[in-house]
Amino acid sequence: MIQNPILYPQRSTDEPSAEQIFNWARNAQLGSKQQLYTPKDEAALQALLKESSGPIRIIGSRLSPGRMVSPQSEGILLDLKHFRGVLAMDENSVRVAAGTPLQELFKTLQQNGRMLNCSPGVIAVQTVGGALATGTHGQGLQQSAITDEVLSFTLILADGEKRTFQRGEAEFSAVMVNLGCLGIITEVTLATVPENYFTCVKTAVSADSLETDIIDWNHQHLFSKAWWFVDDNLLHVWNIDPADASAQQRYQENAQQVVQHSSDQDESLNATIDQTLALMHADTQVHGHGGKQFRTVARFKDFTDVTGDIYQLLCRGIAVPQINVEIGVPLAQTPAIISHIKQWYAEQQPHMHYPIILRCTGASEAWLSPAYQQDTCYFGFVVYYADDGSLSQDGLHFLTEVEKILATYGGRPHWGKYYDPQHYDWPTLYPKWQDFSAVKQQLDPQQRFSNPYIQQLFPSSIGDHA
């Protein structure tokens, strides 16, 4: 069962008097301030590695569960906040420091008329290095995850050696999604393409034919995303394609700000949204409508089609303390899974805290990507924390039970989110699992980039240094 971590009540993670460092959601202690190091550059980082001993974990934006980030009490917490900014650009690529938030990278690309040739994730406060290490993805069968756009990685290994891994090299597919356990990514070079503009057509439809609709939408549109309100048998769907000339002209005339295509907004989902908000208020014990968690659903009211660039349309995530589970399943299995969930829901009538989020991607080259070698549909689930730090037990029960269903169909969990490890046989799920373990042993023989979480994943590579 998914663990129920408490939410620490102190909200600020940067108070001078606080000795403990928490993850962003404040539901896990990562370590103490005495363990935190913020090297100014690669030379300082290399010196730190050569002069220190013990485990090292990189905190990034602290969005991941604490089990992934914490280095244990004697280890080093590494903050790469000084490794920031776009370092170089040419007509086909961008080189960026790994500690750069995605939103800064995206803004620089926009300003230079460029974009990545993939759909971004919804949360753009992630660091580039963290997004790559955990397999952050968007949606669209013609692309996969952000890491699949990388041309080269620069890593600092545990002994301070600097290594560059180029696309096409034997170890490259291991580094692509590396869980922070191979070395410290300091720079990456990503492929870019000329910026394009897109129109997002939004609809509210019945879930009666979702089994076939989800496949059709993803084959017919460049990007597709859906929120499944199971209680009401409804979906809110975004289908996104390149904007036509008229929409692009309107966008340019609007100073490249998002253009709404109709003043007559669609109210067909409003009753469902109001019902969902009422349930969320009951679960979180929060009154009023000002909370960020409520805006994630309330924005679906009175919807209309829009035109903008890919980051304006899809980087719409609102980071709120939550338990977030996302499981990728083979796209070919998705119709059977949806039918299974419908039948289970009809029999059990479980409590719904938040709609199921459906996003599909193409196959990835990364050995540890949930989409490795197969088109994949990701099923996402969220339970928000109440202000008192509690979680809806009914909401958690729904997450737990649906995860069990998805796991039986070969589901692979998103590494940067929550999951119950007892459901997964990693070497069976990932054909290159043992190859990754061998690369891990080669690049980090002393297991410095390990912790109990990593050791449980790769017990065969612990050796005499556990």
Side-chain angles (χ1 to χ4, degrees), residues 10-274:
Q10 182 182 341
R11 292 292 181 177
S12 172
T13 58
D14 299 306
E15 292 183 8
S17 61
E19 290 301 316
Q20 293 297 316
I21 295 173
F22 298 89
N23 65 339
W24 178 86
R26 295 194 61 80
N27 62 12
Q29 296 184 40
L30 305 182
S32 68
K33 286 193 172 180
Q34 287 72 31
Q35 294 175 262
L36 184 65
Y37 291 80
T38 56
K40 300 291 186 182
D41 52 31
E42 282 186 348
L45 174 58
Q46 290 172 298
L48 171 64
L49 291 169
K50 291 175 182 178
E51 296 165 3
S52 63
S53 61
I56 303 165
R57 297 300 287 166
I58 305 111
I59 64 174
S61 298
R62 296 184 274 195
L63 290 170
S64 294
R67 65 186 179 188
M68 172 175 274
V69 183
S70 176
Q72 301 179 281
S73 59
E74 74 275 14
I76 289 173
L77 279 171
L78 195 61
D79 187 345
L80 298 183
K81 67 181 182 181
H82 297 300
F83 292 71
R84 189 164 180 165
V86 169
L87 306 174
M89 291 186 67
D90 61 27
E91 59 183 9
N92 297 308
S93 67
V94 58
R95 183 163 59 92
V96 61
T100 307
L102 287 175
Q103 60 194 11
E104 290 188 14
L105 169 61
F106 297 157
K107 182 177 180 180
T108 300
L109 291 175
Q110 290 170 305
Q111 292 170 343
N112 287 274
R114 307 293 293 178
M115 59 180 279
L116 302 181
N117 193 29
C118 67
S119 169
V122 298
I123 303 293
V125 297
Q126 298 174 82
T127 63
V128 170
L132 302 178
T134 57
T136 291
H137 66 91
Q139 52 272 303
L141 292 182
Q142 297 181 35
Q143 52 85 69
S144 193
I146 297 174
T147 197
D148 286 271
E149 303 304 314
V150 175
L151 301 175
S152 69
F153 292 93
T154 298
L155 264 72
I156 306 298
L157 304 185
D159 61 0
E161 179 189 358
K162 182 176 178 178
R163 290 276 304 273
T164 299
F165 297 84
Q166 303 282 351
R167 178 170 291 278
E169 293 180 356
E171 298 160 332
F172 186 85
S173 292
V175 181
M176 290 174 72
V177 174
N178 58 73
L179 312 186
C181 69
L182 301 183
I184 301 164
I185 299 176
T186 57
E187 296 178 8
V188 296
T189 300
L190 299 112
T192 65
V193 296
E195 186 174 31
N196 200 356
Y197 307 107
F198 304 87
T199 294
C200 177
V201 176
K202 304 178 182 180
T203 55
V205 299
S206 166
D208 285 348
S209 56
L210 177 58
E211 290 88 339
T212 55
D213 288 342
I214 190 71
I215 306 296
D216 292 342
W217 293 328
N218 278 279
H219 282 295
Q220 294 168 2
H221 301 282
L222 188 59
F223 308 117
S224 184
K225 183 175 184 179
W227 292 261
W228 182 11
F229 294 84
V230 185
D231 281 342
D232 294 296
N233 195 41
L234 287 173
L235 290 115
H236 183 53
V237 184
W238 290 6
N239 287 322
I240 301 173
D241 292 292
D244 62 24
S246 174
Q248 289 198 39
Q249 181 178 348
R250 288 185 60 191
Y251 176 72
Q252 297 294 346
E253 291 172 351
N254 197 43
Q256 295 191 329
Q257 299 301 308
V258 172
V259 171
Q260 293 191 353
H261 282 274
S262 175
S263 57
D264 298 324
Q265 297 171 327
D266 192 324
E267 301 176 0
S268 60
L269 206 62
N270 286 11
T272 292
I273 300 305
D274 286 338

Side-chain angles (χ1 to χ4, degrees), residues 450-466:
S450 191
N451 68 359
Y453 168 74
I454 298 296
Q455 290 166 5
Q456 289 174 2
L457 290 174
F458 301 99
S460 62
S461 64
I462 297 173
D464 297 329
H465 306 288

